[in-house]
């Protein structure tokens, strides 16, 4: 459930709460609304992560909560029908672009992307694996999940 609090928003998901502040709503540089010339919108937010919760637990649960809220249309109801992407910072300088069916993580020109059919923990682990794979390569600047165990 997505609620407006005093000066922030809260997602309630399976007894957990995820608070965030809206930074801005920006026109997308790369997406349009299907069947029109209208640009899609990006909702830029800052999550208010409690320090006592480890990143791997917090973000795994957050990915599950976001997946539920985006797919049920609650973000579109609150912030406008053209909101197709939620953008936020993760850890040290990683930009997360969260869409209904995939998630993209960017550090500068390095990009890792995976789909959202997995649960939040698997998404977190897959992004971690992809960034580790990127860090070993000096030539690949973009990589996505191929779901092959031999990779």
């Amino acid at each position: 459930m997505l609620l407006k609090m005093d000066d922030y928003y809260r997602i309630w998901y399976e007894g957990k709460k995820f608070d965030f502040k809206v930074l801005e709503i920006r026109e997308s540089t790369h997406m349009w609304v299907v069947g029109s010339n209208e640009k899609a919108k990006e909702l830029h937010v800052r999550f208010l992560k409690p320090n006592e919760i480890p990143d791997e637990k917090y973000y795994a649960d957050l990915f599950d909560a976001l997946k539920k809220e985006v797919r049920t249309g609650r973000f579109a109801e609150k912030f406008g029908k053209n909101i197709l992407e939620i953008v936020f910072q993760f850890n040290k300088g990683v930009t997360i672009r969260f869409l209904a069916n995939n998630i993209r993580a960017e550090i500068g020109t390095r990009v890792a992307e995976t789909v959202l059919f997995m649960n939040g923990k698997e998404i977190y682990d897959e992004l971690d694996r992809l960034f580790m794979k990127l860090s070993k390569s000096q030539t690949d600047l973009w990589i996505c999940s191929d779901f092959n165990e031999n990779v």
Side-chain angles (χ1 to χ4, degrees):
M1 175 179 285
L2 180 60
L3 301 170
K4 171 76 170 118
M5 307 306 276
D6 292 332
D7 63 341
Y8 62 94
Y9 289 85
R10 174 173 286 162
I11 299 171
W12 282 99
Y13 176 75
E14 295 186 353
K16 300 171 188 90
K17 62 183 180 182
F18 303 93
D19 296 339
F20 66 92
K21 290 193 175 228
V22 174
L23 302 175
E24 69 178 314
I25 297 175
R26 183 187 303 175
E27 276 193 350
S28 177
T29 58
H30 57 280
M31 291 193 310
W32 287 261
V33 176
V34 175
S36 77
N37 291 330
E38 195 174 356
K39 287 216 172 188
K41 304 271 190 209
E42 301 172 352
L43 175 66
H44 290 253
V45 301
R46 180 174 49 90
F47 282 96
L48 307 172
K49 181 190 166 299
N51 290 333
E52 66 273 4
I53 301 174
D55 284 355
E56 53 275 2
K57 175 73 174 138
Y58 179 82
Y59 288 108
D61 292 341
L62 175 63
F63 292 153
D64 284 332
L66 285 174
K67 190 164 50 168
K68 170 86 172 176
E69 296 302 309
V70 167
R71 290 183 177 169
T72 58
R74 290 192 183 106
F75 275 96
E77 288 171 11
K78 286 271 191 227
F79 302 105
K81 65 179 171 104
N82 293 347
I83 297 290
L84 298 180
E85 190 170 7
I86 300 166
V87 181
F88 59 96
Q89 293 295 307
F90 164 81
N91 286 343
K92 296 176 180 137
V94 178
T95 300
I96 298 290
R97 296 182 169 278
F98 196 97
L99 294 98
N101 294 318
N102 72 318
I103 186 170
R104 181 178 173 130
E106 304 167 344
I107 299 178
T109 58
R110 295 186 176 269
V111 176
E113 190 166 359
T114 191
V115 294
L116 295 179
F117 67 79
M118 304 174 281
N119 68 39
K121 172 80 170 97
E122 292 169 322
I123 293 167
Y124 182 89
D125 291 343
E126 180 65 2
L127 288 175
D128 187 50
R129 182 187 79 82
L130 291 173
F131 273 123
M132 290 299 288
K133 189 172 177 183
L134 272 175
S135 70
K136 293 176 185 174
S137 171
Q138 297 299 315
T139 57
D140 290 338
L141 297 177
W142 182 86
I143 190 166
C144 68
S145 297
D146 54 10
F147 304 106
N148 182 342
E149 294 295 326
N150 297 324
V151 174

